[in-house]
Amino acid sequence: EDQVTQSPEALRLQEGESSSLNCSYTVSGLRGLFWYRQDPGKGPEFLFTLYSAGEEKEKERLKATLTKKESFLHITAPKPEDSATYLCAVQANSGYALNFGKGTSLLVT
Amino acid sequence: DAGITQSPRYKITETGRQVTLMCHQTWSHSYMFWYRQDLGHGLRLIYYSAAADITDKGEVPDGYVVSRSKTENFPLTLESATRSQTSVYFCASRGLAGYFEQFFGPGTRLTVL
């Protein structure tokens, strides 16, 4: 059974304090790993797709990386507007659904 | 407006009533999905559709019915609402091939009293 575990559940950072969010996964054949940002009261907003181990994607202060067992979302010099819940999801080769983790709630002050 | 929209955004209903949540997308995406989001569970797939008139169950389909007569619309019906169906419901869509990311609507917050 596909599983996605995100850690930590919550993270508080000072503005400018870089850190990483973790997404560990088990899936029977990875089609893609996805990162989303979700603000309170809104739908998930797509950030990145990673398809194979070693792949990296960047967008502004965010950088996502992928290994065979986990993905990291690195946040460099975060600003208060980066505060949100970050969701990780995987899609297996055999299906259509995204299997989501429970998310990491990030607060930047 | 382009994109994916959901209506209503908020709904309060009573146990046993039928409720339909609407989802509309303007991208002509083939795939559409319904998820529910609950504290402690994250997002879970209810139903999905690969094209008009093609639907299939997800992880938590019991108590829900879907239809897809047109590519752009994917309504979700709760035939007899229960309190356990109180949740936030998200619709999503995805193109046919190439890229697999799903794009989400703004959500419908449903409360069943």
Side-chain angles (χ1 to χ4, degrees), chain A residues 36 38 49 96-98 102, chain B residues 31 35 37 40 45 90 101-102:
Chain A
Y36 286 84
Q38 186 174 24
T49 308
Y96 300 102
L98 294 183
K102 294 180 181 179
Chain B
Y31 292 95
Y35 292 87
Q37 187 173 40
L45 183 68
F90 290 101
E101 51 269 14
Q102 296 178 16

Side-chain angles (χ1 to χ4, degrees), chain A residues 2 27-34 51 89-99, chain B residues 31-33 35 45 47-50 56-59 94-97 99-102:
Chain A
D2 301 344
V27 63
S28 52
L30 180 70
R31 171 165 284 171
L33 184 141
F34 306 86
Y51 292 103
V90 297
Q91 183 178 355
N93 283 328
S94 58
Y96 300 102
L98 294 183
N99 190 348
Chain B
Y31 292 95
M32 295 188 75
F33 306 83
Y35 292 87
L45 183 68
Y47 269 96
Y48 68 94
S49 168
D56 206 351
K57 297 178 180 179
E59 181 185 354
R94 198 204 93 188
L96 180 62
Y99 300 98
F100 300 100
E101 51 269 14
Q102 296 178 16

Side-chain angles (χ1 to χ4, degrees), chain A residues 14 69 78 84 91:
Chain A
Q14 297 289 325
K69 294 183 178 180
Q91 183 178 355

Side-chain angles (χ1 to χ4, degrees), chain B residues 88-111:
Chain B
V88 182
Y89 292 85
F90 290 101
C91 179
S93 70
R94 198 204 93 188
L96 180 62
Y99 300 98
F100 300 100
E101 51 269 14
Q102 296 178 16
F103 298 93
F104 285 78
T108 295
R109 181 174 293 275
L110 175 67
T111 301

